[in-house]
Amino acid sequence: MNTFPDAILNKLRAPGPLIAPSILSADFAALGAELRSVESADWVHVDVMDGRFVPNITIGPLVAAAAARVSPLPIDCHLMIVEPERYVAEFAKAGAHLITVHAEASPHLDRTVAAVREAGCWAGVSLNPHTHESCLEYVLERLDVVLLMTVNPGFGGQSLIDRVFPKVERVRERIERRGLQTRVQVDGGVKADNIRRFTDAGADVMVAGSAVFGAPDRAAAIAALRSAALRGA
Ligand code: DX5
Ligand code: ZN
């Protein structure tokens, strides 16, 4: 079981909508200051890419550990890598609180999810836009987070694929039907002018990269996302 401090657990469990800025769109030459600029958000989203599962190569455990040292927020590591099971222990050691792996990248998903939980982290499973939610059927009970990609993973700043909204609704329905606490996170193309659509579909954790780090005033951008998630832009 995880042994997170109460402050982290409370933020992981806080009532949504939550905002999780993705540091993929941050200035890596000033990562400490960038992380401090988003402390009014809820989670810090760390996009790990290997140049194999996705075309891009980004962050490894070293940078995740640096983020964990600087930020008081939960560190949410989204592994877009093949064979994610090989790196679970390293990301847990780096200070990740949530480790999310792709269903498409892990043939033994049940075992990988068990490894994440044994490493003391919250466990998430992510689905690419085309992947049917039925693959969660026999693992859902063990998940803290379902991360639904609303772009094809690999890059920040892409436009939302809105064909994914019905999937967000269906995943939320499955979770409610089973009486689970699993969070529904969405990732890709989230902006103040569309975030309400995600909330309405049943998402409660919104990743936002360019919408936060592309804005000069991060606190204002986060506040605008929060308010639009509840009331619309
Ligand atoms: C995409 C990543 C996202 C990305 C989101 O592969 O998983 O987290 O950084 O960026 P925006 O919000 O700019 O679409
Ligand atoms: Zn991501």
Side-chain angles (χ1 to χ4, degrees):
M1 252 338 272
N2 48 60
T3 51
F4 302 143
D6 284 350
I8 292 287
L9 259 187
N10 291 341
K11 284 183 195 294
L12 284 168
R13 292 187 181 141
L18 305 186
I19 308 297
S22 162
I23 60 169
L24 186 59
S25 296
D27 175 0
F28 279 77
L31 192 55
E34 292 287 69
L35 285 162
R36 281 187 289 274
S37 77
V38 298
E39 281 182 12
S40 61
D42 300 291
W43 301 358
V44 167
H45 187 78
V46 177
D47 282 311
V48 177
M49 306 187 188
D50 64 352
R52 294 188 63 208
F53 181 67
V54 290
N56 204 0
I57 300 180
T58 57
I59 294 167
L62 208 62
V63 173
R69 275 200 305 277
V70 171
S71 181
L73 303 181
I75 301 297
D76 154 20
C77 288
H78 175 197
L79 306 192
M80 286 161 276
I81 63 176
V82 298
E83 300 174 2
E85 54 282 354
R86 293 177 55 202
Y87 292 95
V88 164
E90 266 199 77
F91 279 96
K93 200 164 128 228
H97 300 98
L98 161 63
I99 296 179
T100 296
V101 301
H102 269 261
E104 303 87 356
S106 190
H108 303 288
L109 192 59
D110 186 74
R111 183 187 286 154
T112 306
V113 166
V116 171
R117 298 179 73 98
E118 273 155 31
C121 296
W122 264 29
V125 167
S126 183
L127 304 183
N128 282 335
H130 78 279
T131 303
H132 199 280
E133 68 280 4
S134 59
C135 69
L136 298 172
E137 180 72 12
Y138 301 105
V139 78
L140 191 57
E141 258 85 13
R142 314 205 63 199
L143 301 184
D144 300 292
V145 173
V146 173
L147 170 57
L148 298 172
M149 292 309 302
T150 45
V151 296
N152 287 300
F155 303 94
Q158 304 182 77
S159 307
L160 153 76
I161 298 172
D162 61 5
R163 297 185 298 283
V164 181
F165 282 114
K167 179 159 67 172
V168 178
E169 286 173 11
R170 283 196 294 268
V171 168
R172 169 56 66 196
E173 266 168 37
R174 275 174 195 245
I175 289 168
E176 300 286 314
R177 220 183 309 131
R178 298 204 204 172
L180 302 173
Q181 301 298 314
T182 320
R183 307 212 76 145
V184 179
Q185 185 178 31
V186 286
D187 186 0
V190 174
K191 308 279 174 212
D193 65 6
N194 64 21
I195 193 168
R196 179 65 195 269
R197 296 178 67 196
F198 291 92
T199 331
D200 285 348
D204 63 0
V205 185
M206 326 295 183
V207 176
S210 45
V212 171
F213 286 104
D217 181 342
R218 277 65 188 280
I222 292 162
L225 286 166
R226 266 191 213 293
S227 127
L230 291 169
R231 288 179 283 278

